[in-house]
Amino acid sequence: MKIAILSRNNKLYSTQRLIEAAKSRGHDPIVVDFLRCYMNIASHTPTIYCHGKELNSIDAVIPRIGSSVSFYGAAVVRQFEMMGILSLIKSVGITRAQDKLHSLQMLSCKGIGLPVTGFANRPDEIEDLIHMVGGAPLVIKLLSGTQGIGVVLAETKQAASSVIEAFMGLKANILVQEYIKEAKGADIRCFVIGSKVVAAMERKAKAGEFRSNLHRGGTSRLIKITPEERSTAVRSAKILGLDVAGVDILRANHGPVVMEVNSSPGLEGIEKVTGKDVAGMIIDFLEKTVQIKQKRRVKENTS
Ligand code: ADP
Ligand code: MG
């Protein structure tokens, strides 16, 4: 298969591993910088170009789209979908996962465990908002934040109120969230492919920090997850429409709660900690998905 890996940088660990895994299975992977793609949204003949050349004869795409460029990235993936090319990760899943509020709303209505979360637009609702999530300490999050930047722990009600007011003053969209203290600065990254958690690791925040992001100095280790955590991760990915996802879970006293779902989870940490060939599993899954699509096409054409 000719597989287009949509990635900004072909030197990234995840991109490199996907290239290796695809080549070792006899495929022909190419790396496409999706920000350099441009599209013709013409009636009947949607097309996509990169560096003046039309991107055609591609069998499948693997999006690796960072959240800061997810709007354009999702549009490129959607264009491939419109051309009838299979994408491992659907554009709609990328759009949902990019927006923390959107994802939490979708997960909440399906009964997935979540930290109690509030969202408001006006400063006069701050008191109520703080009360709603159980008072301080609480977590305040920028909707579009990533790598732990824009996630603040407010220890007191007064601090919470000032931070919320400041963010609102800047017209930033924020979530106010129950602080899961008992997680002790650790979270669990569940790597989901299809309907399985294929690898999981615990990430722990460095001393004096509550955010476990590796970019914030957190460390990771192998962990055994419970059946409840496993099913929570798989269900969450499914609800957002993602066949491949990194589902981040906190261990709360009342069971697993989902913090966020990533549509382009990194491979480096999870492969190094677990020793598993996650890139290989992704390509195997893609092969199966393409085969199912082809069979369906043959059936439709012959019926
Ligand atoms: P980002 O998208 O920036 O990674 P997250 O929502 O994943 O934002 O939050 C970053 C980190 O902060 C998490 O990995 C977790 O360690 C910590 N954290 C986030 N929300 C909570 C919460 N409600 N309770 C406890 N810790 C939290
Ligand atoms: Mg996170």
Side-chain angles (χ1 to χ4, degrees):
M1 286 195 288
K2 187 159 177 185
I3 302 172
I5 301 168
L6 306 182
S7 165
R8 297 246 31 228
N9 182 349
N10 60 10
K11 305 235 159 29
L12 294 174
Y13 177 94
S14 303
T15 312
Q16 280 295 322
R17 287 285 300 124
L18 288 166
I19 295 171
E20 264 170 42
K23 279 190 179 160
S24 74
R25 285 160 177 77
H27 300 301
D28 174 19
I30 56 163
V31 176
V32 174
D33 179 355
F34 54 92
L35 289 188
R36 300 205 153 195
C37 289
Y38 48 102
M39 315 157 227
N40 185 346
I41 304 150
S43 180
H44 295 301
T45 52
T47 40
I48 192 154
Y49 300 87
C50 196
H51 297 299
K53 270 206 242 150
E54 188 176 338
L55 288 175
N56 47 23
S57 67
I58 286 170
D59 299 295
V61 297
I62 302 181
R64 297 287 318 163
I65 291 170
S67 64
S68 62
V69 283
S70 67
F71 179 80
Y72 198 78
V76 171
V77 173
R78 202 178 306 118
Q79 185 77 355
F80 279 112
E81 290 166 353
M82 295 304 131
M83 291 158 64
I85 295 169
L86 185 134
S87 175
L88 175 72
I89 296 157
K90 304 283 169 289
S91 57
V92 67
I94 297 171
T95 308
R96 287 170 182 160
Q98 191 274 331
D99 181 340
K100 285 184 210 279
L101 176 66
H102 191 162
S103 346
L104 293 185
Q105 285 175 315
M106 290 191 72
L107 298 177
S108 78
C109 80
K110 297 287 182 190
I112 297 288
L114 300 171
V116 180
T117 304
F119 183 64
N121 181 40
R122 291 165 55 92
D124 22 321
E125 274 106 33
I126 291 179
E127 272 281 315
D128 230 15
L129 209 58
I130 294 177
H131 180 70
M132 209 165 72
V133 302
L138 54 78
V139 175
I140 300 159
K141 281 184 201 184
L142 276 175
L143 269 198
S144 53
T146 179
Q147 301 179 348
I149 301 165
V151 180
V152 181
L153 175 62
E155 305 266 8
T156 64
K157 194 175 151 191
Q158 217 167 18
S161 173
S162 321
V163 176
I164 298 171
E165 218 166 54
F167 275 138
M168 283 184 172
L170 292 169
K171 303 264 175 269
N173 281 319
I174 48 157
L175 292 178
V176 177
Q177 201 164 66
E178 167 195 14
Y179 175 47
I180 310 294
K181 193 171 180 204
E182 59 271 27
K184 299 191 185 99
D187 73 351
I188 301 167
R189 159 61 57 94
C190 297
F191 203 106
V192 177
I193 302 181
S195 50
K196 282 198 192 112
V197 174
V198 298
M201 64 177 173
E202 182 194 65
R203 294 175 303 192
K204 185 136 184 63
K206 65 178 184 194
E209 174 61 74
F210 81 104
R211 296 166 299 178
S212 62
N213 303 68
L214 303 183
H215 288 97
R216 304 271 73 77
T219 48
S220 46
R221 69 176 180 102
L222 196 61
I223 194 178
K224 201 168 159 40
I225 58 168
T226 66
E228 195 187 0
E229 287 160 352
R230 203 168 277 280
S231 77
T232 299
V234 169
R235 284 184 60 216
S236 301
K238 192 151 272 158
I239 291 165
L240 295 188
L242 292 165
D243 278 334
V244 173
V247 182
D248 295 342
I249 288 178
L250 292 171
R251 282 185 168 162
N253 286 338
H254 51 283
V257 294
V258 172
M259 214 171 23
E260 68 170 341
V261 182
N262 289 281
S263 61
S264 284
L267 298 182
E268 186 165 10
I270 199 88
E271 285 198 337
K272 287 188 174 161
V273 166
T274 63
K276 290 188 178 170
D277 175 14
V278 178
M281 293 189 244
I282 290 178
I283 302 294
D284 291 343
F285 179 80
L286 182 68
E287 283 173 5
K288 275 192 211 122
T289 316
V290 169
Q291 276 166 12
I292 292 170
K293 190 181 164 197
Q294 280 166 349
K295 272 191 198 147
R296 207 176 289 148
R297 257 196 200 152
V298 171
K299 216 170 163 188
E300 277 167 11
N301 289 343
T302 51
S303 64

